[in-house]
Amino acid sequence: MEKVDIVRLEKGEDGTFGVLRVGGRVVCVTMEPPDRGNRPDMSCIPAGRYGCERVESPAFGPTFEITGVPGRSHILFHAGNVAGDTRGCVLLGSRFGRLGRDRAVLDSRAALGEFLALCGDAPSFEFEITE
């Protein structure tokens, strides 16, 4: 698997926004909740290096779980649009936009599908978040 990373572009009360790259190529945009000190279900993931393991989520289907985040578990890459959809996970989208008054990532299911296709049959991979 080529190198996977998230480069954060912006952090604020609306959420934490970035781009996800595979092999140095931007694949999609990302959204996480605001930075709330790594509190479970409420905060973005601290910058750093983590593992990812293929899982079958009852709610989201096939995806990857981000592992090794101190004090946290069940952090997934999944489809969703606004910060309220994340519960501490990483939402993938094709572009940034708005849904009503909320900042959002749009075309999320398509972006997730593209990311999973690029992952192929890889059972796991390492990835890094930088700010």
Side-chain angles (χ1 to χ4, degrees):
M1 179 83 189
E2 294 183 77
K3 179 181 178 188
V4 177
D5 66 345
I6 292 175
V7 179
R8 292 215 172 116
L9 304 174
E10 177 184 344
K11 289 173 81 170
E13 280 306 305
D14 290 339
T16 303
F17 302 90
V19 294
L20 183 140
R21 303 184 306 181
V22 176
R25 183 178 72 87
V26 173
V27 173
C28 59
V29 299
T30 65
M31 181 181 205
E32 299 171 74
D35 187 347
R36 295 203 165 89
N38 195 35
R39 290 184 10 216
D41 299 328
M42 303 182 71
S43 181
C44 64
I45 302 163
R49 295 183 67 81
Y50 303 100
C52 291
E53 302 288 330
R54 186 177 294 277
V55 296
E56 184 72 30
S57 165
F60 301 107
T63 190
F64 284 88
E65 178 179 356
I66 300 165
T67 61
V69 179
R72 308 242 323 252
S73 62
H74 298 86
I75 303 170
L76 304 176
F77 290 103
H78 66 79
N81 299 109
V82 296
D85 294 337
T86 68
R87 293 193 42 102
C89 294
V90 178
L91 304 180
L92 304 181
S94 297
R95 59 193 167 93
F96 295 118
R98 289 196 171 274
L99 287 177
R101 290 190 199 166
D102 295 324
R103 292 185 65 192
V105 294
L106 305 175
D107 302 321
S108 188
R109 289 188 201 286
L112 179 63
E114 181 179 349
F115 171 64
L116 293 175
L118 287 171
C119 293
D121 293 332
S124 63
F125 59 88
E126 297 288 319
F127 97 111
E128 184 173 12
I129 298 174
T130 59
E131 298 184 338

